[in-house]
Amino acid sequence: MLGIFMLFVFLSMSDSVHARKVKRVTFPETASIQGTSCKLNGVGIRKKLIINVYLGALYLEKPTQSASAVTSSEQTKQVIMHFLYKEVTAEQLVEAWNEGFEKNAGSKVASLKSEINRFNGFFTQSMKKGERITITYNPAKGTEVNIKGRVAGTIEGKAFMEALFSIWFGPFPPSKGLKEGMMGD
């Protein structure tokens, strides 16, 4: 009987080592992203007032506690936005992206206008509870945007990736807890 109990305890512990559960959503500790092994750096919650909007999970080829390293590094990286709120409209998404670009990319926004407009054009439908937006940067390809399991498009260039990732990891993230959680704090 003790042996069965110990086996159960061991199996329970091994599951928790390989996945992280936040708000009943499970994120694996490691993931193969476009053929590259990446580790879960952290998971945070995007709150607006008292509403939990989405969980943000950050995967990195080389985990770090430095927000500036996340933004500037030439490595495979991915942010998963898992929506918790009942519905976020396309207009709300585009408004939030634009606000994030303005607050965190500042002077770079003008030179990236074309890329930002193309990026915003990917968001044509509402996101509902349980749906995901996955943003993956591959240094050889650019920034791929996957919405609800379908690739919406890829935007080339490190400059766009830096501006986009600065939304979460720049000085003015959508919410403090989101950035802190994704950084593993």
Side-chain angles (χ1 to χ4, degrees):
M1 191 59 120
L2 180 60
I4 293 172
F5 175 74
M6 293 304 289
L7 179 62
F8 175 76
V9 169
F10 174 75
L11 291 174
S12 298
M13 288 172 53
S14 66
D15 282 346
S16 65
V17 170
H18 299 293
R20 194 172 312 174
K21 197 169 195 173
V22 179
K23 297 281 186 191
R24 299 183 183 160
V25 179
T26 302
F27 296 94
E29 288 293 330
T30 60
S32 178
I33 299 172
Q34 297 182 351
T36 301
S37 179
C38 294
K39 294 181 176 113
L40 180 63
N41 202 69
V43 180
I45 299 175
R46 164 58 166 122
K47 288 188 173 214
K48 186 157 186 170
L49 302 175
I50 60 167
I51 297 169
N52 292 331
V53 181
Y54 66 83
L55 292 172
L58 172 64
Y59 285 88
L60 297 170
E61 191 176 340
K62 300 171 192 140
T64 181
Q65 300 300 303
S66 166
S68 63
V70 170
T71 303
S72 65
S73 65
E74 276 289 292
Q75 65 171 306
T76 299
K77 52 189 143 190
Q78 184 176 80
V79 170
I80 298 172
M81 300 166 63
H82 181 97
F83 284 82
L84 300 171
Y85 192 62
K86 61 184 175 184
E87 183 176 15
V88 179
T89 67
E91 293 80 17
Q92 289 170 320
L93 287 167
V94 170
E95 182 181 320
W97 292 125
N98 287 334
E99 181 180 324
F101 282 121
E102 287 294 329
K103 285 183 172 181
N104 293 288
S107 63
K108 297 176 185 175
V109 171
S111 65
L112 293 169
K113 192 73 172 158
S114 170
E115 290 90 342
I116 291 171
N117 287 339
R118 183 163 172 244
F119 175 78
N120 284 336
F122 297 154
F123 301 95
T124 59
Q125 51 188 297
S126 296
M127 296 300 296
K128 296 191 168 119
K129 185 175 182 172
E131 296 178 331
R132 290 184 172 189
I133 295 171
T134 304
I135 296 175
T136 305
Y137 178 70
N138 178 323
K141 297 178 183 175
T143 304
E144 178 185 278
V145 180
N146 183 306
I147 302 170
K148 301 179 188 182
R150 292 191 173 177
V151 175
T154 302
I155 299 174
E156 294 178 355
K158 183 179 181 193
F160 176 76
M161 175 277 294
E162 288 178 338
L164 179 59
F165 276 72
S166 76
I167 291 174
W168 297 292
F169 306 106
F172 305 103
S175 61
K176 185 179 176 187
L178 177 64
K179 180 179 178 178
E180 288 175 351
M182 290 169 73
M183 291 308 306
D185 294 342

